[in-house]
Amino acid sequence: MLMIRHSIGSRLLCQTNVYYVEKKDDRWQISLPIDEETASNVLEFRDELNIFDAKENEKTWYYSSDAQVKFQPNENKLVILADHKTVYPV
């Protein structure tokens, strides 16, 4: 499950089980289907996002320090380019 949270107060902005994480050079590209209203909420806080990929035995925290978050309206897709990744055992 992927959760996108506002880093201040940890407000949940988006949660989904349909997402993709791909390694792109020294970054991770996270993409997910999203509606325009939810995308707007996420983009409002693009500088203050924590992205969590929760699996059965680990939780991965991603962060985009340069706020590379884009919404592709023709595909209803959010794309985040994260430059930080930390894996925690659960």
Side-chain angles (χ1 to χ4, degrees):
M1 169 180 20
L2 187 80
M3 294 174 285
I4 301 173
R5 295 185 171 274
H6 184 215
S7 61
I8 301 167
S10 197
R11 179 176 143 214
L12 182 64
L13 301 171
C14 179
Q15 180 174 316
T16 184
N17 288 317
V18 180
Y19 61 97
Y20 306 93
V21 179
E22 295 179 68
K23 181 79 166 127
K24 298 277 188 177
D25 298 320
D26 61 341
R27 295 176 178 253
W28 296 267
Q29 180 176 293
I30 304 161
S31 57
L32 57 139
I34 195 168
D35 63 80
E36 193 169 336
E37 181 180 346
T38 304
S40 178
N41 288 333
V42 171
L43 291 171
E44 180 180 347
F45 299 109
R46 76 176 76 215
D47 294 315
E48 303 166 340
L49 296 178
N50 286 323
I51 301 105
F52 297 100
D53 184 0
K55 302 215 185 298
E56 186 175 329
N57 295 318
E58 69 181 24
K59 184 177 186 180
T60 304
W61 170 52
Y62 294 97
Y63 182 77
S64 180
S65 61
D66 50 5
Q68 289 199 35
V69 183
K70 294 186 170 63
F71 177 57
Q72 299 172 348
N74 56 336
E75 298 177 51
N76 284 337
K77 182 166 80 170
L78 187 72
V79 179
I80 301 167
L81 206 53
D83 59 341
H84 178 82
K85 174 184 175 182
T86 304
V87 179
Y88 302 93
V90 195

Coordinates of all heavy atoms in Angstrom, one line a residue:
M1 N 0.8 -1.2 0.0 CA 0.0 0.0 0.0 C 0.9 1.2 0.0 O 1.9 1.3 0.7 CB -0.9 0.0 1.2 CG -1.6 1.3 1.5 SD -2.7 1.4 2.9 CE -2.1 0.1 4.0
L2 N 0.5 2.2 -0.8 CA 1.3 3.5 -0.9 C 0.4 4.5 -0.2 O -0.8 4.7 -0.4 CB 1.5 3.9 -2.3 CG 2.4 5.1 -2.5 CD1 3.8 4.7 -2.4 CD2 2.1 5.7 -3.9
M3 N 1.1 5.3 0.7 CA 0.4 6.4 1.4 C 1.3 7.7 1.1 O 2.5 7.7 1.3 CB 0.4 6.1 2.9 CG -0.5 5.0 3.2 SD -0.4 4.6 5.0 CE 1.1 3.8 5.1
I4 N 0.6 8.7 0.7 CA 1.2 10.0 0.6 C 0.7 10.9 1.7 O -0.6 11.1 1.8 CB 0.9 10.7 -0.8 CG1 1.4 9.7 -1.9 CG2 1.5 12.1 -0.9 CD1 1.0 10.2 -3.3
R5 N 1.6 11.4 2.5 CA 1.2 12.2 3.7 C 1.9 13.6 3.7 O 3.0 13.7 3.2 CB 1.6 11.5 5.0 CG 0.9 10.2 5.2 CD 1.2 9.5 6.6 NE 0.4 8.4 6.9 CZ -0.8 8.5 7.4 NH1 -1.3 9.7 7.8 NH2 -1.5 7.4 7.7
H6 N 1.1 14.5 4.3 CA 1.7 15.8 4.5 C 2.7 15.7 5.6 O 2.4 15.1 6.7 CB 0.6 16.8 4.8 CG 1.1 18.2 5.0 ND1 0.6 19.1 5.9 CD2 2.1 18.9 4.3 CE1 1.2 20.3 5.8 NE2 2.1 20.2 4.9
S7 N 3.9 16.1 5.5 CA 5.0 15.9 6.5 C 4.7 16.6 7.8 O 5.2 16.2 8.8 CB 6.4 16.3 5.9 OG 6.4 17.6 5.6
I8 N 3.9 17.7 7.7 CA 3.6 18.5 8.9 C 2.2 18.0 9.4 O 1.2 18.2 8.8 CB 3.6 20.0 8.7 CG1 5.0 20.4 8.2 CG2 3.2 20.8 9.9 CD1 5.0 21.8 7.6
G9 N 2.2 17.3 10.5 CA 0.9 16.8 11.0 C 0.6 15.4 10.5 O -0.4 14.8 11.0
S10 N 1.3 14.9 9.5 CA 1.1 13.6 8.9 C -0.3 13.3 8.4 O -0.8 12.2 8.3 CB 1.4 12.5 10.0 OG 1.6 11.3 9.4
R11 N -1.0 14.4 7.9 CA -2.3 14.2 7.3 C -2.2 13.3 6.0 O -1.4 13.6 5.1 CB -2.8 15.6 6.9 CG -4.2 15.6 6.2 CD -4.7 17.0 6.0 NE -5.4 17.0 4.7 CZ -5.4 18.0 3.9 NH1 -4.8 19.1 4.2 NH2 -6.1 18.0 2.8
L12 N -3.1 12.4 5.9 CA -3.1 11.5 4.8 C -3.8 12.2 3.6 O -4.9 12.6 3.6 CB -3.9 10.2 5.1 CG -4.0 9.1 4.0 CD1 -2.6 8.6 3.7 CD2 -4.9 8.0 4.4
L13 N -3.0 12.3 2.5 CA -3.5 13.0 1.3 C -4.0 12.0 0.2 O -4.8 12.3 -0.6 CB -2.4 13.8 0.7 CG -1.8 14.9 1.6 CD1 -0.6 15.6 1.0 CD2 -2.9 16.0 1.9
C14 N -3.4 10.8 0.2 CA -3.7 9.8 -0.8 C -3.2 8.4 -0.3 O -2.2 8.3 0.4 CB -3.0 10.1 -2.1 SG -3.4 8.9 -3.4
Q15 N -4.1 7.4 -0.5 CA -3.7 6.0 -0.2 C -4.2 5.1 -1.3 O -5.3 5.3 -1.8 CB -4.4 5.6 1.1 CG -4.0 4.2 1.5 CD -4.6 3.9 2.9 OE1 -4.5 4.7 3.8 NE2 -5.2 2.8 3.1
T16 N -3.3 4.2 -1.8 CA -3.7 3.3 -2.9 C -2.9 2.0 -2.9 O -1.8 1.9 -2.3 CB -3.5 4.0 -4.3 OG1 -3.9 3.2 -5.3 CG2 -2.0 4.3 -4.5
N17 N -3.5 1.0 -3.5 CA -2.8 -0.3 -3.7 C -2.3 -0.4 -5.1 O -1.7 -1.4 -5.5 CB -3.7 -1.4 -3.3 CG -3.9 -1.6 -1.8 OD1 -3.0 -1.4 -1.1 ND2 -5.2 -1.8 -1.4
V18 N -2.6 0.6 -6.0 CA -2.3 0.5 -7.4 C -1.2 1.6 -7.6 O -1.5 2.8 -7.6 CB -3.5 0.7 -8.3 CG1 -3.0 0.7 -9.8 CG2 -4.6 -0.3 -8.0
Y19 N 0.0 1.2 -7.7 CA 1.1 2.1 -7.9 C 2.4 1.4 -8.4 O 2.4 0.2 -8.4 CB 1.5 2.8 -6.6 CG 1.9 1.9 -5.5 CD1 3.3 1.7 -5.2 CD2 1.0 1.2 -4.7 CE1 3.7 0.8 -4.3 CE2 1.4 0.4 -3.7 CZ 2.8 0.2 -3.5 OH 3.2 -0.7 -2.5
Y20 N 3.3 2.2 -8.9 CA 4.5 1.6 -9.5 C 5.7 2.4 -9.0 O 5.7 3.6 -8.9 CB 4.5 1.6 -11.0 CG 3.3 1.0 -11.6 CD1 2.1 1.7 -11.8 CD2 3.2 -0.4 -11.8 CE1 1.0 1.2 -12.3 CE2 2.1 -1.0 -12.3 CZ 0.9 -0.2 -12.5 OH -0.2 -0.8 -13.0
V21 N 6.8 1.7 -8.6 CA 8.0 2.3 -8.2 C 9.1 1.8 -9.1 O 9.3 0.5 -9.2 CB 8.4 2.0 -6.7 CG1 9.7 2.7 -6.3 CG2 7.2 2.5 -5.8
E22 N 9.8 2.7 -9.8 CA 10.9 2.3 -10.7 C 12.2 3.0 -10.3 O 12.1 4.2 -10.1 CB 10.6 2.6 -12.1 CG 9.4 1.9 -12.7 CD 9.1 2.3 -14.1 OE1 10.0 2.1 -15.0 OE2 8.1 3.0 -14.3
K23 N 13.3 2.4 -10.3 CA 14.6 3.0 -10.1 C 15.0 3.7 -11.4 O 14.9 3.1 -12.5 CB 15.6 2.0 -9.8 CG 17.0 2.5 -9.5 CD 17.1 3.1 -8.1 CE 18.5 3.3 -7.7 NZ 18.8 4.6 -7.3
K24 N 15.3 5.0 -11.3 CA 15.7 5.8 -12.5 C 17.0 6.5 -12.1 O 17.0 7.5 -11.4 CB 14.6 6.9 -12.8 CG 13.3 6.3 -13.2 CD 13.3 6.0 -14.6 CE 11.9 5.6 -15.1 NZ 11.8 5.3 -16.5
D25 N 18.1 6.0 -12.5 CA 19.4 6.5 -12.2 C 19.6 6.5 -10.7 O 19.5 5.5 -10.0 CB 19.7 7.9 -12.8 CG 19.6 7.8 -14.4 OD1 20.2 6.8 -14.9 OD2 19.1 8.7 -15.0
D26 N 19.7 7.7 -10.1 CA 19.9 7.8 -8.6 C 18.6 8.2 -7.9 O 18.6 8.7 -6.8 CB 21.0 8.8 -8.3 CG 20.8 10.2 -8.8 OD1 19.9 10.4 -9.7 OD2 21.4 11.2 -8.3
R27 N 17.5 8.0 -8.6 CA 16.2 8.4 -8.0 C 15.2 7.3 -8.2 O 15.5 6.3 -8.9 CB 15.6 9.7 -8.7 CG 16.5 10.9 -8.5 CD 16.0 12.1 -9.3 NE 16.8 13.2 -9.0 CZ 16.4 14.3 -8.3 NH1 15.1 14.3 -7.8 NH2 17.2 15.3 -8.0
W28 N 14.0 7.5 -7.6 CA 12.9 6.5 -7.7 C 11.7 7.2 -8.3 O 11.3 8.2 -7.7 CB 12.6 5.9 -6.4 CG 13.7 5.1 -5.9 CD1 14.0 3.7 -6.0 CD2 14.9 5.6 -5.1 NE1 15.1 3.4 -5.4 CE2 15.7 4.5 -4.9 CE3 15.2 6.8 -4.6 CZ2 16.9 4.6 -4.2 CZ3 16.4 7.0 -3.9 CH2 17.2 5.9 -3.7
Q29 N 11.2 6.7 -9.4 CA 9.9 7.3 -9.9 C 8.7 6.5 -9.4 O 8.6 5.3 -9.6 CB 10.0 7.2 -11.5 CG 8.7 7.8 -12.1 CD 8.8 7.8 -13.6 OE1 9.6 8.5 -14.2 NE2 8.0 6.9 -14.2
I30 N 7.9 7.2 -8.8 CA 6.6 6.6 -8.2 C 5.5 7.2 -9.0 O 5.3 8.4 -9.1 CB 6.5 7.0 -6.7 CG1 7.8 6.6 -5.9 CG2 5.2 6.4 -6.1 CD1 7.9 7.3 -4.6
S31 N 4.7 6.3 -9.6 CA 3.5 6.7 -10.3 C 2.3 6.0 -9.9 O 2.4 4.8 -9.5 CB 3.8 6.5 -11.8 OG 4.1 5.2 -12.1
L32 N 1.2 6.7 -9.9 CA -0.1 6.1 -9.5 C -1.3 6.8 -10.2 O -1.2 8.0 -10.5 CB -0.2 6.2 -8.0 CG -0.2 7.6 -7.4 CD1 -1.2 7.8 -6.3 CD2 1.2 7.9 -6.8
P33 N -2.3 6.0 -10.4 CA -3.6 6.7 -10.9 C -4.2 7.5 -9.8 O -4.2 7.1 -8.7 CB -4.4 5.5 -11.3 CG -3.9 4.3 -10.5 CD -2.5 4.6 -10.2
I34 N -4.7 8.7 -10.2 CA -5.3 9.6 -9.2 C -6.3 10.5 -9.9 O -6.2 10.8 -11.1 CB -4.1 10.4 -8.6 CG1 -4.5 11.1 -7.3 CG2 -3.5 11.4 -9.6 CD1 -3.3 11.6 -6.5
D35 N -7.3 10.9 -9.1 CA -8.2 11.9 -9.7 C -7.7 13.3 -9.5 O -6.8 13.5 -8.7 CB -9.6 11.7 -9.0 CG -9.6 12.0 -7.5 OD1 -9.6 13.2 -7.2 OD2 -9.5 11.0 -6.7
E36 N -8.3 14.2 -10.3 CA -7.8 15.6 -10.3 C -7.9 16.3 -8.9 O -7.0 17.0 -8.6 CB -8.6 16.4 -11.3 CG -8.0 17.7 -11.7 CD -8.6 18.3 -12.9 OE1 -9.2 17.6 -13.7 OE2 -8.5 19.6 -13.0
E37 N -8.9 16.0 -8.2 CA -9.1 16.7 -6.9 C -8.0 16.2 -5.9 O -7.4 17.0 -5.2 CB -10.5 16.4 -6.3 CG -10.7 17.1 -4.9 CD -12.1 16.8 -4.4 OE1 -13.0 16.3 -5.1 OE2 -12.3 17.0 -3.2
T38 N -7.8 14.9 -5.8 CA -6.7 14.4 -5.0 C -5.4 14.9 -5.4 O -4.5 15.3 -4.6 CB -6.8 12.9 -4.9 OG1 -8.1 12.4 -4.5 CG2 -5.8 12.3 -3.9
A39 N -5.1 14.9 -6.7 CA -3.9 15.4 -7.2 C -3.7 16.9 -6.8 O -2.5 17.2 -6.5 CB -3.8 15.3 -8.7
S40 N -4.7 17.6 -6.9 CA -4.6 19.1 -6.5 C -4.2 19.2 -5.0 O -3.3 20.0 -4.7 CB -5.9 19.7 -6.7 OG -5.9 21.1 -6.3
N41 N -4.8 18.4 -4.2 CA -4.4 18.4 -2.7 C -2.9 18.0 -2.5 O -2.2 18.6 -1.7 CB -5.3 17.4 -1.9 CG -6.7 18.0 -1.8 OD1 -6.9 19.2 -1.8 ND2 -7.6 17.0 -1.6
V42 N -2.5 17.0 -3.3 CA -1.1 16.5 -3.1 C -0.2 17.6 -3.7 O 0.8 18.0 -3.0 CB -0.9 15.2 -3.9 CG1 0.6 14.9 -4.0 CG2 -1.6 14.1 -3.3
L43 N -0.5 18.2 -4.8 CA 0.4 19.3 -5.4 C 0.5 20.5 -4.5 O 1.5 21.2 -4.5 CB -0.1 19.6 -6.8 CG 0.1 18.5 -7.8 CD1 -0.7 18.9 -9.1 CD2 1.5 18.3 -8.1
E44 N -0.6 20.8 -3.8 CA -0.6 21.9 -2.9 C 0.5 21.8 -1.8 O 1.1 22.8 -1.4 CB -2.0 22.0 -2.2 CG -2.1 23.2 -1.2 CD -3.4 23.2 -0.5 OE1 -4.4 22.6 -1.0 OE2 -3.5 24.0 0.5
F45 N 0.9 20.6 -1.4 CA 1.9 20.3 -0.4 C 3.1 19.7 -1.0 O 3.9 19.0 -0.3 CB 1.3 19.5 0.7 CG 0.1 20.1 1.4 CD1 -1.1 19.6 1.2 CD2 0.3 21.2 2.2 CE1 -2.2 20.2 1.9 CE2 -0.8 21.8 2.9 CZ -2.0 21.3 2.7
R46 N 3.4 19.8 -2.3 CA 4.5 19.1 -3.0 C 5.8 19.3 -2.3 O 6.7 18.5 -2.4 CB 4.5 19.5 -4.4 CG 5.1 20.9 -4.7 CD 5.3 21.3 -6.1 NE 4.0 21.6 -6.7 CZ 3.7 21.4 -7.9 NH1 4.5 20.8 -8.7 NH2 2.5 21.7 -8.4
D47 N 6.0 20.4 -1.6 CA 7.3 20.6 -0.9 C 7.4 20.0 0.5 O 8.4 20.0 1.1 CB 7.5 22.2 -0.7 CG 7.7 22.9 -2.0 OD1 8.5 22.4 -2.8 OD2 7.2 24.0 -2.2
E48 N 6.3 19.4 0.9 CA 6.2 18.8 2.3 C 5.5 17.4 2.3 O 4.6 17.2 3.0 CB 5.4 19.8 3.1 CG 5.9 21.2 3.2 CD 4.9 22.2 3.8 OE1 3.7 21.9 3.9 OE2 5.4 23.2 4.2
L49 N 6.0 16.5 1.4 CA 5.4 15.2 1.3 C 6.3 14.1 1.8 O 7.5 14.1 1.6 CB 5.1 14.9 -0.2 CG 4.1 15.8 -0.9 CD1 4.0 15.3 -2.4 CD2 2.7 15.7 -0.2
N50 N 5.7 13.2 2.5 CA 6.3 11.9 2.8 C 5.5 10.8 2.1 O 4.3 10.8 2.1 CB 6.3 11.7 4.3 CG 7.2 12.5 5.1 OD1 8.3 12.8 4.6 ND2 6.8 13.0 6.3
I51 N 6.2 9.9 1.4 CA 5.6 8.9 0.7 C 6.1 7.6 1.3 O 7.3 7.3 1.5 CB 6.0 8.9 -0.8 CG1 5.6 10.2 -1.4 CG2 5.4 7.8 -1.6 CD1 6.7 11.2 -1.6
F52 N 5.1 6.7 1.7 CA 5.4 5.5 2.4 C 4.9 4.3 1.5 O 3.7 4.3 1.1 CB 4.7 5.4 3.8 CG 5.3 6.4 4.7 CD1 4.6 7.6 4.9 CD2 6.5 6.2 5.4 CE1 5.1 8.6 5.8 CE2 7.0 7.2 6.2 CZ 6.3 8.4 6.5
D53 N 5.7 3.3 1.3 CA 5.4 2.1 0.6 C 5.4 1.0 1.7 O 6.4 0.6 2.2 CB 6.4 1.8 -0.5 CG 6.0 0.6 -1.3 OD1 5.0 -0.1 -1.0 OD2 6.8 0.2 -2.2
A54 N 4.2 0.6 2.2 CA 4.1 -0.3 3.3 C 3.8 -1.7 2.7 O 2.9 -2.0 2.0 CB 2.9 0.1 4.2
K55 N 4.7 -2.6 3.1 CA 4.6 -4.0 2.7 C 4.5 -4.9 4.0 O 4.6 -4.3 5.1 CB 5.8 -4.5 1.9 CG 6.0 -3.6 0.6 CD 6.5 -4.5 -0.5 CE 6.8 -3.7 -1.8 NZ 5.7 -3.0 -2.4
E56 N 4.3 -6.2 3.9 CA 4.1 -7.0 5.0 C 5.3 -6.9 6.0 O 5.0 -6.8 7.2 CB 4.0 -8.5 4.6 CG 3.6 -9.4 5.7 CD 3.3 -10.8 5.2 OE1 2.8 -10.9 4.1 OE2 3.6 -11.7 6.0
N57 N 6.5 -7.0 5.6 CA 7.7 -7.0 6.5 C 8.6 -5.8 6.5 O 9.6 -5.8 7.2 CB 8.5 -8.3 6.2 CG 7.8 -9.6 6.4 OD1 7.1 -9.7 7.4 ND2 7.9 -10.5 5.5
E58 N 8.2 -4.8 5.7 CA 9.0 -3.6 5.7 C 8.2 -2.4 5.3 O 7.1 -2.5 4.6 CB 10.2 -3.7 4.8 CG 9.9 -3.8 3.3 CD 11.1 -4.0 2.4 OE1 12.1 -4.5 2.9 OE2 11.0 -3.6 1.3
K59 N 8.7 -1.2 5.6 CA 8.0 0.0 5.2 C 9.1 0.9 4.6 O 10.2 1.0 5.2 CB 7.5 0.7 6.5 CG 6.7 2.0 6.2 CD 6.1 2.5 7.6 CE 5.2 3.6 7.4 NZ 4.7 4.0 8.7
T60 N 8.9 1.4 3.4 CA 9.9 2.3 2.8 C 9.4 3.7 2.7 O 8.2 4.0 2.4 CB 10.1 1.8 1.3 OG1 10.5 0.4 1.4 CG2 11.2 2.5 0.7
W61 N 10.3 4.6 3.1 CA 9.9 6.0 3.1 C 10.7 6.7 2.0 O 11.9 6.5 1.8 CB 10.4 6.7 4.4 CG 10.3 8.2 4.5 CD1 9.2 8.9 4.1 CD2 11.4 9.0 4.9 NE1 9.6 10.3 4.3 CE2 10.9 10.4 4.7 CE3 12.7 8.9 5.3 CZ2 11.6 11.5 5.0 CZ3 13.4 10.0 5.6 CH2 12.9 11.3 5.5
Y62 N 9.9 7.4 1.1 CA 10.5 8.1 0.0 C 10.3 9.6 0.2 O 9.3 10.0 0.8 CB 9.8 7.7 -1.3 CG 10.1 6.3 -1.8 CD1 9.2 5.3 -1.5 CD2 11.2 6.0 -2.5 CE1 9.4 4.0 -1.9 CE2 11.5 4.7 -2.9 CZ 10.5 3.7 -2.6 OH 10.7 2.4 -3.0
Y63 N 11.2 10.4 -0.3 CA 11.1 11.8 -0.1 C 11.7 12.5 -1.4 O 12.7 12.1 -1.9 CB 11.8 12.3 1.1 CG 11.7 13.8 1.4 CD1 10.6 14.3 1.9 CD2 12.8 14.6 1.1 CE1 10.5 15.7 2.2 CE2 12.7 16.0 1.3 CZ 11.5 16.5 1.9 OH 11.4 17.8 2.1
S64 N 11.0 13.6 -1.9 CA 11.5 14.3 -3.0 C 12.0 15.7 -2.5 O 11.1 16.6 -2.2 CB 10.4 14.5 -4.0 OG 10.9 15.3 -5.1
S65 N 13.3 15.8 -2.3 CA 13.8 17.1 -1.6 C 13.6 18.3 -2.6 O 13.6 19.4 -2.1 CB 15.2 16.9 -1.2 OG 16.0 16.6 -2.3
D66 N 13.5 18.1 -3.9 CA 13.3 19.2 -4.8 C 11.9 19.3 -5.3 O 11.6 19.9 -6.3 CB 14.3 19.2 -5.9 CG 14.4 17.8 -6.6 OD1 13.6 16.9 -6.3 OD2 15.3 17.7 -7.5
A67 N 10.9 18.6 -4.7 CA 9.5 18.7 -5.0 C 9.2 18.3 -6.4 O 8.4 19.0 -7.0 CB 8.9 20.0 -4.6
Q68 N 9.8 17.3 -6.9 CA 9.4 16.9 -8.3 C 8.2 16.0 -8.3 O 8.3 14.8 -8.2 CB 10.6 16.2 -8.9 CG 11.8 17.1 -9.2 CD 12.7 16.5 -10.2 OE1 12.3 15.8 -11.1 NE2 14.0 16.8 -10.0
V69 N 7.0 16.7 -8.3 CA 5.7 16.0 -8.3 C 4.9 16.6 -9.5 O 4.8 17.8 -9.5 CB 5.0 16.3 -7.0 CG1 3.7 15.5 -6.9 CG2 5.9 15.9 -5.8
K70 N 4.4 15.7 -10.3 CA 3.7 16.2 -11.5 C 2.4 15.4 -11.7 O 2.4 14.2 -11.4 CB 4.5 16.1 -12.8 CG 5.7 17.0 -12.7 CD 6.4 17.0 -14.1 CE 7.5 18.0 -14.2 NZ 8.6 18.2 -13.6
F71 N 1.4 16.1 -12.1 CA 0.1 15.5 -12.4 C -0.1 15.5 -13.9 O 0.1 16.5 -14.6 CB -1.1 16.2 -11.8 CG -2.4 15.6 -12.1 CD1 -2.7 14.3 -11.8 CD2 -3.4 16.4 -12.7 CE1 -4.0 13.8 -12.2 CE2 -4.7 15.9 -13.0 CZ -4.9 14.6 -12.7
Q72 N -0.3 14.3 -14.5 CA -0.6 14.2 -15.9 C -2.1 14.0 -16.1 O -2.6 12.9 -16.0 CB 0.2 13.0 -16.5 CG 1.7 13.2 -16.3 CD 2.5 12.0 -16.7 OE1 1.9 10.9 -16.9 NE2 3.8 12.1 -16.8
P73 N -2.8 15.1 -16.4 CA -4.3 15.1 -16.4 C -4.9 14.2 -17.5 O -5.9 13.6 -17.3 CB -4.7 16.5 -16.6 CG -3.5 17.2 -17.1 CD -2.3 16.5 -16.6
N74 N -4.2 14.1 -18.7 CA -4.7 13.3 -19.7 C -4.7 11.8 -19.4 O -5.4 11.0 -20.0 CB -4.0 13.6 -21.1 CG -2.5 13.4 -20.9 OD1 -1.9 13.4 -19.8 ND2 -1.8 13.1 -22.1
E75 N -3.8 11.4 -18.5 CA -3.7 10.0 -18.0 C -4.2 9.8 -16.6 O -4.2 8.7 -16.1 CB -2.3 9.5 -18.1 CG -1.7 9.6 -19.5 CD -0.2 9.2 -19.5 OE1 0.1 8.1 -18.9 OE2 0.6 9.9 -20.0
N76 N -4.7 10.9 -15.9 CA -5.0 10.8 -14.5 C -4.0 10.1 -13.7 O -4.2 9.2 -13.0 CB -6.4 10.2 -14.3 CG -7.5 11.1 -14.7 OD1 -7.4 12.3 -14.7 ND2 -8.7 10.5 -15.0
K77 N -2.7 10.6 -13.9 CA -1.6 9.9 -13.2 C -0.7 11.0 -12.5 O -0.4 12.0 -13.1 CB -0.8 9.2 -14.3 CG 0.4 8.4 -13.7 CD 1.0 7.5 -14.7 CE 1.9 8.1 -15.7 NZ 2.6 7.2 -16.6
L78 N -0.3 10.6 -11.3 CA 0.6 11.4 -10.5 C 2.0 10.7 -10.6 O 2.1 9.5 -10.5 CB 0.2 11.5 -9.1 CG 0.9 12.4 -8.2 CD1 0.6 13.9 -8.5 CD2 0.6 12.1 -6.7
V79 N 3.0 11.6 -10.9 CA 4.4 11.0 -10.9 C 5.3 11.8 -10.0 O 5.3 13.1 -10.0 CB 4.9 11.2 -12.4 CG1 6.4 10.6 -12.4 CG2 4.0 10.4 -13.4
I80 N 5.9 11.1 -9.1 CA 6.8 11.7 -8.1 C 8.2 11.2 -8.4 O 8.4 9.9 -8.5 CB 6.4 11.3 -6.7 CG1 4.9 11.8 -6.4 CG2 7.3 11.9 -5.6 CD1 4.3 11.2 -5.2
L81 N 9.2 12.0 -8.4 CA 10.6 11.6 -8.6 C 11.2 11.9 -7.2 O 11.5 13.0 -6.8 CB 11.2 12.5 -9.7 CG 12.4 11.8 -10.4 CD1 12.0 10.4 -10.9 CD2 12.9 12.7 -11.5
A82 N 11.5 10.8 -6.5 CA 12.1 10.9 -5.1 C 13.6 10.7 -5.2 O 14.1 9.9 -6.0 CB 11.4 9.8 -4.3
D83 N 14.3 11.4 -4.4 CA 15.7 11.3 -4.3 C 16.2 10.7 -3.0 O 17.4 10.6 -2.8 CB 16.4 12.6 -4.6 CG 16.0 13.7 -3.6 OD1 15.0 13.6 -3.0 OD2 16.7 14.7 -3.6
H84 N 15.3 10.4 -2.1 CA 15.7 9.8 -0.8 C 14.8 8.5 -0.6 O 13.6 8.5 -0.9 CB 15.4 10.8 0.3 CG 15.7 10.3 1.6 ND1 16.9 10.3 2.2 CD2 14.9 9.7 2.6 CE1 16.9 9.7 3.4 NE2 15.7 9.4 3.6
K85 N 15.5 7.5 -0.1 CA 14.7 6.2 0.2 C 15.4 5.6 1.5 O 16.6 5.5 1.6 CB 14.9 5.3 -0.9 CG 14.3 3.9 -0.7 CD 14.6 3.0 -1.8 CE 14.1 1.5 -1.5 NZ 14.4 0.6 -2.6
T86 N 14.5 5.3 2.4 CA 14.9 4.6 3.7 C 13.9 3.5 3.9 O 12.7 3.6 3.8 CB 14.9 5.6 4.9 OG1 15.7 6.7 4.6 CG2 15.4 4.9 6.1
V87 N 14.5 2.3 4.1 CA 13.7 1.1 4.4 C 13.8 0.7 5.9 O 14.9 0.7 6.4 CB 14.2 -0.1 3.5 CG1 13.4 -1.4 3.8 CG2 14.2 0.3 2.0
Y88 N 12.6 0.5 6.4 CA 12.5 0.1 7.8 C 11.9 -1.3 8.0 O 10.9 -1.5 7.3 CB 11.6 1.1 8.6 CG 12.0 2.5 8.6 CD1 11.5 3.3 7.6 CD2 12.9 3.0 9.5 CE1 11.9 4.7 7.5 CE2 13.3 4.3 9.4 CZ 12.8 5.2 8.5 OH 13.2 6.5 8.4
P89 N 12.4 -2.2 8.8 CA 11.7 -3.4 9.1 C 10.5 -3.2 9.9 O 10.4 -2.2 10.7 CB 12.7 -4.3 9.8 CG 13.7 -3.3 10.4 CD 13.7 -2.1 9.5
V90 N 9.4 -4.0 9.7 CA 8.2 -3.8 10.5 C 8.0 -4.9 11.5 O 8.3 -6.1 11.2 CB 7.0 -3.7 9.6 CG1 5.8 -3.1 10.4 CG2 7.2 -2.9 8.4

